[in-house]
Amino acid sequence: MLIRDVRITPVAFRDPPLLNAIGVHEPLVLRCIVRLVLDDGVVGLGECAGQRPQLDRLAAVRPHLIGMSVFDTNGIERTIGTVLRAGTPPGGTPDPMGARNAFSVIETACMDAQGRLTGRSVSELLGGAVRATVPFSAYLFYKWAEHPPLDGRPAIPDEWGAALDPAGVVDQAKAMIEEYGFRSIKLKGGVFPPDEEIAAVRALRAAFPDHPLRIDPNCAWTVETARRVAAELDGVLEYLEDPVPGIAGMARVAATAPMPLATNMCVVAPEHLPPAIAQDAVQVLLTDHHYWGGLRRTGELARLCATFGIGVSMHSNSHLGVSLAAMTHVAAATPELTYACDTHYPWNRRDDVVRPGVLRFADGGVPVPEGPGLGVELDDEVLDRLHRAYLAARREARDDTGYMRRFDPAFDPSPARW
Ligand code: GKR
Ligand code: MG
């Protein structure tokens, strides 16, 4: 049960040209697979973002984890915090969020290893699954038909096709729901003027009368616009996600909005909770174990939310199957998480580091993997191929705005621009 090695493998996988408030997704997503190798040969898996700061944090803590027990997650959390605080440059500010990001992936890998050692699944270790299948929502994006040609590189086609108007959004929803069976729908907004996005939501409502609907413009609207959109979509939206920046702005919208407001942007750390609660800014919190400090902390957060009458949903960024397995286990073991979770998983139909068979969608939900730990196994060949893709890409950060500006130099990503 002692950690003998920590293998940190950055990977890159293909992503369609999905549009959002700050630009467009680049052709490759950067992720990182972490393997904790124990003294008895057991390997625990975790997945996190593959941006340079996260890789640097993991490299810094790596030697300090060797020899620690995977059952001592309190000690591991303390060690990571201490090492990263000590690495703060003179005059620099400590980064507790960075420490939570680093601990999250290590804790996930520890719990996978604990499960493999004890023959228990991660959801059992978290207190037991309260649902056998975790519902996810269809996560729709406005998108281009292809990544346009760039710097001599030919266009990169994409089988999902374009979605640039209400009809395109409805077609995308139909395709995704036919394939995965989703029973809730989220539209990533903040891409077109709000009236066009209202029209898309109305078109979705007409095509899917019984599916709960959400829209998330990632803070692209002003308070006035958000209040107007909320009033116009009264009775249509299940919740309105991050219409405006900041807790105070969200509180002003919440004061008149007929539906709950949700966030994964203005409440992303423990210190954001008191002001958000005091101002009644948020009625649904999208948790994310990748940055809230791991799987156990996610459960604690959900319980805290329930105390204050805040609903719980789940945020997603582009990810692979190790993350999907972890999201499914923690959601299954969190009674308060009653909204269908977000996932970008359907946007990557090509490559997964996880061997096929365990993770599958049934009626829009993912059955909780039954094997020990996370219940998934790595495909070493795919891992190696995606690692080579990462090395060849020579990229260290996600840059939706910079990529968009290669095609539209005047692109404006400012928050509250509508
Ligand atoms: O993938 O473009 C995207 C999303 O906008 C993502 O970056 C957000 O973090 O999905 C996320 C959200 O709900 O805000
Ligand atoms: Mg969001």
Side-chain angles (χ1 to χ4, degrees), residues 16-42:
L18 307 179
L19 299 164
N20 60 28
I22 57 164
V24 57
H25 285 207
E26 296 164 271
L28 289 173
V29 176
L30 308 183
R31 295 292 283 179
C32 177
I33 302 298
V34 171
R35 283 170 290 175
L36 296 184
V37 184
L38 308 193
D39 50 358
D40 49 14
V42 164

Side-chain angles (χ1 to χ4, degrees), residues 15 18-25 139 141 186 188-189 216 218 241-242 264-265 286 288 291 314-318 342 344 398 400:
D15 203 15
L18 307 179
L19 299 164
N20 60 28
I22 57 164
V24 57
H25 285 207
Y139 196 164
F141 279 78
K186 164 169 168 171
K188 175 58 61 179
D216 174 11
N218 284 120
E241 186 173 326
D242 285 314
N264 62 272
M265 296 183 77
L286 281 83
D288 187 329
Y291 61 76
M314 187 184 280
H315 167 256
S316 155
N317 257 318
S318 306
D342 289 357
H344 286 59
R398 171 179 172 175
D400 296 20

Side-chain angles (χ1 to χ4, degrees), residues 122-336:
V122 165
S123 40
E124 279 182 282
L125 296 175
L126 290 170
V130 295
R131 46 189 77 88
T133 295
V134 171
F136 285 85
S137 61
Y139 196 164
L140 311 182
F141 279 78
Y142 289 107
K143 67 181 291 294
W144 295 334
E146 60 181 22
H147 285 284
L150 188 65
D151 297 337
R153 179 204 79 191
I156 306 173
D158 165 51
E159 64 264 33
W160 285 100
L164 296 165
D165 55 20
V169 166
V170 168
D171 285 349
Q172 185 186 97
K174 285 182 176 161
M176 203 177 266
I177 287 170
E178 187 178 316
E179 188 169 342
Y180 295 89
F182 294 118
R183 293 176 177 191
S184 312
I185 298 176
K186 164 169 168 171
L187 174 62
K188 175 58 61 179
V191 175
F192 292 112
D195 286 325
E196 292 182 37
E197 299 190 351
I198 290 174
V201 173
R202 289 196 186 288
L204 285 168
R205 169 51 69 238
F208 299 94
D210 300 323
H211 280 62
L213 301 177
R214 315 155 182 179
I215 183 167
D216 174 11
N218 284 120
C219 304
W221 301 340
T222 64
V223 168
E224 290 66 32
T225 299
R227 285 178 158 177
R228 177 174 72 79
V229 176
E232 289 197 28
L233 292 178
D234 184 9
V236 181
L237 289 182
E238 177 185 38
Y239 60 65
L240 173 58
E241 186 173 326
D242 285 314
V244 302
I247 290 172
M250 288 283 280
R252 290 179 60 207
V253 180
T256 65
M259 71 285 289
L261 297 195
T263 190
N264 62 272
M265 296 183 77
C266 71
V267 180
V268 294
E271 63 269 24
H272 301 150
L273 284 164
I277 291 166
Q279 295 173 49
D280 195 15
V282 170
Q283 292 73 48
V284 178
L285 183 66
L286 281 83
T287 59
D288 187 329
H289 75 272
H290 300 92
Y291 61 76
W292 272 100
L295 302 169
R296 287 210 175 88
R297 292 263 184 262
T298 299
E300 291 165 11
L301 176 65
R303 258 136 249 159
L304 194 59
C305 285
T307 304
F308 290 97
I310 296 174
V312 183
S313 186
M314 187 184 280
H315 167 256
S316 155
N317 257 318
S318 306
H319 63 90
L320 293 164
V322 179
S323 277
L324 182 63
M327 290 156 75
T328 302
H329 279 288
V330 71
T334 304
E336 298 80 4

